[in-house]
Amino acid sequence: MLLLPFELRRREQSVLDRLRFAQRFRSARCESLAANARVRFAGVHDAAIGALALDRCEQRVLLAAGGSRLAVYRLDPSTDNAVDGVVHVRSPLQTVAAFDANAAPGVLAHRHAISSLAWFAHDAGLFVSGSYDHRVCVWDAENMQVAASFDLRSKVYAVALSPIATTHSLVACATESSHVSLCDLSSGAATHTLMGHSEELLAAAWSTRDPHQLATAGRGGCIRVWDVRRASAALFCCDDSRHAPISPPPPPPAVPAARSGGAKRRRVFRRDAPRGDAKNLSHSGAVNSLAYSRDGTFLLSSGSDNRMRLWRADNGANTLVNYPRVRNVLSHGHRIAIGSDDRCVYHPNGRQIGVYRLLSGELLGTLTGHFDAVSGCEMRTTRDELITAGQDRQLLSWTPSVDDARRRLSLAGTSAALRHGERLDEVANNAVAAAAQDEDDWSSSE
């Protein structure tokens, strides 16, 4: 949807704050995604795409692993503004063998399919991959060669790197065993493990606010949050029986100073204080996807019980947000995405992608385009573009539906129309009509 002319006028009159206006504009874009028929990805995979990762520095390089192939796509900005019905095909810059089944034991290469991919946050020339061959490999993105590897002696289902850490370069690995393995890229060794889960792990996610906070979950249905600097038990577990509102709680009452007469100071206990027990599970089934909100306030989880839950990141309390019509059909490799406005959630629901409001759970719509189950989503925040991968070996691009109208509604044309006294709503309606006519012409040409 386009922003209402009423909001544009309020901004022109300085009634609407600049930041709030920008937030509403971005939310409008994230809520109106549609399939981008002018941008297509060249199909090079010989099996279902099970891993997807977008570089965090410039968001111009996309990795997609499916079957025996690992493809590297460059998201050229020139293809973002395709006009006049021209279909731009994003061909991979390079396609390498994702694994070699006949590789010798000492060779730095995968011998089975890749299950997960993750980019280093501060360098687009480095990424890691996890595989079912018990190995985690560190890749040089420039030469597409394995620089180092870690043997964890159990299947690796997920790997994660902190998006904000500057003091450590730890790779969190969710493996078939019941413990979390931490691999240090600086020293090249597996530093230590975090023990507490009772069954195999399927998902791991680093906090976007605290560089040392890590969330993990697995087949047991329990979500644990750790401080990697501590070797003891988890900080707390996300407990479905503990509830808390979305808004942060009021600060605890101040403790009065001790009197000179030697009176004891009374300790204040908060009911929402973190607890370390896991008697009450987070989900009634396996948890195979975790994602922190962009401000690090909330933690989002999805499980095989067809439930998506929103937790407070500071104490693991359930916010009781209800997300309707959630379908989680994959056992692992399931990846959800948070919108660039930090208010929209994109969840794979079988062959469709559900678009939800993060804080209210409202279902805004569904994106349909894949012919098989969707395995992952990546949000390109610089362009508000959603990229999805599926079991049908396809990569699809979803962009705001107002983009075609915005391209035709150039700044020069808008200012000229306003100078001649044309109303803002008429300008917007004319642009939408032109975009719809162009879409009909493009469809009929096929």
Side-chain angles (χ1 to χ4, degrees):
M1 67 177 186
L2 286 170
L3 281 176
L4 296 176
F6 173 70
E7 294 181 342
L8 295 175
R9 293 193 186 97
R10 291 183 64 195
R11 176 58 193 144
E12 288 181 345
Q13 298 169 1
S14 299
V15 177
L16 188 62
D17 181 71
R18 174 177 58 88
L19 297 179
R20 187 172 299 178
F21 176 80
Q23 179 68 29
R24 290 187 182 181
F25 180 75
R26 174 151 283 186
S27 297
R29 289 172 58 86
C30 292
E31 294 172 5
S32 60
L33 295 185
N36 190 351
R38 292 185 174 85
V39 175
R40 297 179 182 177
F41 289 86
V44 296
H45 297 91
D46 54 0
I49 301 176
L52 193 68
L54 181 66
D55 82 283
R56 296 170 177 169
C57 294
E58 299 180 351
Q59 298 189 354
R60 292 185 179 181
V61 182
L62 178 71
L63 296 173
S68 62
R69 297 181 180 179
L70 174 61
V72 184
Y73 293 90
R74 179 171 178 81
L75 308 182
D76 191 352
S78 62
T79 63
D80 295 333
N81 300 317
V83 293
D84 299 330
V86 178
V87 178
H88 288 261
V89 179
R90 289 174 174 171
S91 300
L93 288 176
Q94 193 172 358
T95 304
V96 298
F99 65 91
D100 184 3
N102 300 320
V107 177
L108 300 179
H110 288 301
R111 282 175 283 178
H112 293 288
I114 292 177
S115 60
S116 181
L117 294 165
W119 282 92
F120 189 59
H122 309 291
D123 186 4
L126 188 70
F127 68 91
V128 298
S129 62
S131 173
Y132 301 112
D133 63 354
H134 307 177
R135 299 168 71 90
V136 173
C137 290
V138 182
W139 294 73
D140 181 1
E142 229 177 279
N143 303 321
M144 289 304 295
Q145 295 180 354
V146 179
S149 67
F150 303 88
D151 188 1
L152 302 183
R153 300 183 179 181
S154 59
K155 293 181 180 179
V156 180
Y157 291 127
V159 293
L161 282 161
S162 175
I164 60 173
T166 57
T167 58
H168 70 81
S169 54
L170 298 176
V171 183
C173 306
T175 64
E176 190 180 19
S177 62
S178 59
H179 58 268
V180 185
S181 299
L182 298 178
C183 304
D184 192 355
L185 298 182
S186 301
S187 62
T191 56
H192 59 282
T193 58
L194 305 175
M195 306 184 69
H197 287 279
S198 58
E199 297 188 34
E200 62 183 3
L201 303 178
L202 300 175
W206 290 90
S207 171
T208 54
R209 173 177 292 186
D210 186 352
H212 301 98
Q213 183 172 315
L214 172 69
T216 57
R219 203 169 295 279
C222 178
I223 302 174
R224 290 179 177 267
V225 179
W226 314 80
D227 187 336
V228 296
R229 296 169 296 184
R230 299 174 51 182
S232 58
L235 292 176
F236 55 86
C237 300
C238 295
D239 193 347
D240 188 30
S241 64
R242 289 192 296 119
H243 307 151
I246 291 181
S247 58
V255 179
R259 298 180 180 178
S260 58
K264 294 184 179 180
R265 177 178 298 181
R266 179 178 300 177
R267 298 180 62 187
V268 177
F269 294 92
R270 294 175 57 184
R271 293 184 179 180
D272 59 347
R275 300 179 182 178
D277 59 274
K279 296 180 181 179
N280 297 303
L281 300 179
S282 310
H283 286 261
S284 58
V287 181
N288 56 6
S289 184
L290 294 172
Y292 275 92
S293 61
R294 298 193 180 275
D295 60 359
T297 307
F298 300 102
L299 174 64
L300 197 65
S301 64
S302 178
S304 60
D305 56 354
N306 293 331
R307 292 289 185 271
M308 187 165 55
R309 291 194 169 98
L310 187 67
W311 313 87
R312 280 182 46 182
D314 57 346
N315 58 12
N318 189 358
T319 60
L320 298 180
V321 177
N322 179 37
Y323 300 93
R325 298 170 56 184
V326 173
R327 291 187 59 209
N328 194 328
V329 299
L330 298 179
S331 58
H332 52 81
H334 184 82
R335 192 183 185 110
I336 55 182
I338 306 291
S340 57
D341 62 340
D342 208 10
R343 296 186 179 183
C344 290
V345 179
Y346 306 97
H347 185 281
N349 294 334
R351 299 180 182 180
Q352 300 177 338
I353 302 101
V355 184
Y356 300 88
R357 287 193 188 275
L358 178 66
L359 300 182
S360 66
E362 178 187 357
L363 178 62
L364 300 174
T366 57
L367 306 178
T368 305
H370 285 277
F371 298 100
D372 207 339
V374 180
S375 56
C377 305
E378 279 286 350
M379 189 65 186
R380 190 183 175 197
T381 58
T382 56
R383 304 292 301 181
D384 295 328
E385 177 187 8
L386 180 69
I387 301 175
T388 59
Q391 302 289 305
D392 55 359
R393 299 181 290 178
Q394 298 294 325
L395 291 170
L396 296 182
S397 171
W398 310 83
T399 54
S401 58
V402 301
D403 276 0
D404 291 342
R406 297 290 179 184
R407 293 192 194 103
R408 299 186 179 277
L409 187 62
S410 61
L411 294 178
T414 305
S415 58
L418 293 178
R419 282 196 302 269
H420 288 82
E422 189 174 355
R423 296 175 55 190
L424 279 173
D425 51 353
E426 295 178 356
V427 175
N429 293 335
N430 293 338
V432 174
Q437 182 64 32
D438 179 74
E439 186 71 16
D440 294 340
D441 295 341
W442 177 84
S443 303
S444 60
S445 62
E446 288 191 343

